[in-house]
Amino acid sequence: MIRVGIAGATGYTGFELVRILRRHPEVQLAWLTSESNAGGRLSSVFPCPWDDELLPLEQALRQRLDEVDVVFLCLPHAASMEAVAQVIAAGVKAIDLSADFRLRDAAVYQRWYAHPHTQAQLLAEAVYGLPEMYRDAVAAARLIANPGCYPTSVILALAPLARAGLLRGRVIADSKSGVSGAGRGLRLSSHFVEANENFSPYSIGRQHRHLPEMEEQLTAQARSAPAAFQVIFSPHLLPVNRGILSTLYVELPKKLSGDALLSLYRDAYGHEPFIHLLGLNQVATLRHTVGSNRCAIGLSPQADNLLIVTSSIDNLLKGASGQAVQNMNVMWGLPETTALL
């Protein structure tokens, strides 16, 4: 059995992990932490039948790391780096769901997250946790940087084009996310009256902190066919609980038939258990993926070499907790689909 600790179990991603791992045949949940509900029980925070004790994070890291093989860290950005360092120092594997280890350059992290990186020595060994791109590295890793939700939808949709050298100039990523993407903490924009019957963009253009993550990973995919490109990213808040839909607009440098584009994506994802490649000119929707660990991708070629790619995921599953469990399955050599839909 894989002995698991979850740090930050009472956020949306933490609770999704509990739900998934409770049905995982190879997992034993050893402990859960919660700063806001320490000393309480999980069943008092969420309407669920699980009465697990909620520990303070400091107590779990100081006294109970010897009880686990891996820790999932569902902590806020900047709060995760010190905890990850303690986990790794104890010889325990870490799957971090924050942004603290996704970027290679500590200076870039500080610029976008307004916080100095105190564990920069771990950045070089952190593996970006997209199994569809880095499966072998994930299998050998002791530290996984679980990708962001928006970047997962965008990177998976564009990676085959990047590898083929087909990303040039400006690439427009128009993305919409359910309200759970903002986390469980209180903020005005996610209040019911603000979000319901509304639809609003935010941090548009080149302002959102997920932007460098997208460009770094797509640039890495394009190394064999380098070309200059820039992502223009416009996220929007959808008045739904969960799900992300990204619509990507790519001006291709040469004319490709729909069949050629479909073949390019089939070569990349034909054997991937969680990529649902749709038929030509079929568009991805939230209903293709919400409640699952899948990413649905649709290709819609237009006139004048314009390609529109649609991509959908569940932001709490393939965009967070489901992907984290997929990574754990790879790390332990289990079928990737174990406990996942």
Side-chain angles (χ1 to χ4, degrees):
M1 300 292 282
I2 306 168
R3 302 171 302 161
V4 170
I6 300 176
T10 55
Y12 290 134
T13 57
F15 185 64
E16 283 293 330
L17 275 170
V18 173
R19 284 160 48 98
I20 298 168
L21 294 174
R22 281 284 179 188
R23 65 174 181 255
H24 197 296
E26 302 295 333
V27 164
Q28 175 188 343
L29 279 177
W31 47 257
L32 312 177
T33 82
S34 173
E35 295 305 282
S36 56
N37 298 280
R41 299 281 171 174
L42 186 64
S43 58
S44 68
V45 181
F46 286 97
C48 70
W50 307 309
D51 209 28
D52 303 75
E53 179 185 7
L54 298 170
L55 304 174
L57 177 63
E58 183 181 357
Q59 179 183 342
L61 295 180
R62 188 178 67 250
Q63 300 177 4
R64 301 190 61 174
L65 281 177
D66 61 346
E67 301 175 19
V68 296
D69 303 302
V70 61
V71 177
F72 292 86
L73 297 107
C74 308
L75 304 175
H77 309 312
S80 194
M81 56 187 78
E82 298 294 335
V84 165
Q86 288 182 252
V87 171
I88 295 297
V92 175
K93 295 185 178 184
I95 300 176
D96 182 35
L97 281 78
S98 82
D100 286 357
F101 294 92
R102 294 176 192 158
L103 298 171
R104 289 290 184 186
D105 189 326
V108 174
Y109 175 88
Q110 182 167 350
R111 174 189 166 199
W112 286 91
Y113 289 88
H115 192 281
H117 205 295
T118 61
Q119 302 296 327
Q121 75 281 0
L122 291 174
L123 292 176
E125 78 162 281
V127 173
Y128 193 73
L130 265 183
E132 291 81 5
M133 289 163 45
Y134 301 115
R135 184 167 282 111
D136 291 345
V138 168
R142 62 174 186 164
L143 170 55
I144 297 293
N146 214 61
C149 50
Y150 279 130
T152 294
S153 71
V154 170
I155 293 166
L156 288 175
L158 296 180
L161 300 176
R163 290 181 200 136
L166 295 173
L167 292 187
R168 303 288 177 92
R170 287 185 173 178
V171 176
I172 297 174
D174 188 317
S175 300
K176 297 91 176 171
S177 174
V179 180
S180 60
R184 204 165 181 228
L186 294 178
R187 64 182 69 189
L188 181 62
S189 62
S190 58
H191 288 190
F192 179 82
V193 175
E194 301 293 330
N196 187 49
E197 299 184 15
N198 195 12
F199 181 47
S200 53
Y202 61 99
S203 301
I204 61 173
R206 291 189 58 80
Q207 301 179 62
H208 197 281
R209 58 192 184 184
H210 279 167
L211 186 69
E213 183 180 341
M214 296 176 191
E215 291 188 334
E216 181 174 294
Q217 292 302 321
L218 289 170
T219 298
Q221 291 300 297
R223 277 183 188 149
S224 61
F229 65 90
Q230 181 186 66
V231 177
I232 306 299
F233 176 51
S234 295
H236 300 69
L237 184 65
L238 270 178
V240 299
N241 286 344
R242 58 201 294 167
I244 284 179
L245 179 65
S246 290
T247 304
L248 300 314
Y249 301 87
V250 183
E251 195 78 40
L252 299 175
K254 61 182 179 180
K255 182 69 175 176
L256 289 173
S257 69
D259 288 341
L261 288 164
L262 196 56
S263 178
L264 182 70
Y265 277 76
R266 283 175 176 158
D267 288 345
Y269 295 136
H271 301 290
E272 291 294 342
F274 293 117
I275 302 293
H276 182 187
L277 188 56
L278 305 176
L280 200 61
N281 294 312
Q282 183 181 359
V283 295
T285 70
L286 293 185
R287 287 185 176 174
H288 279 103
T289 56
V290 167
S292 80
N293 194 54
R294 295 191 302 274
C295 174
I297 298 174
L299 304 175
S300 299
Q302 308 293 307
D304 301 323
N305 294 6
L306 176 66
L307 172 64
I308 302 176
V309 185
T310 51
S311 170
S312 79
I313 62 170
D314 187 315
N315 59 293
L316 296 179
L317 292 172
K318 186 60 174 166
S321 305
Q323 185 140 267
V325 174
Q326 184 183 354
N327 281 315
M328 183 199 72
N329 287 339
V330 173
M331 294 166 83
W332 266 269
L334 300 172
E336 287 180 42
T337 54
T338 305
L340 297 170
L341 299 175

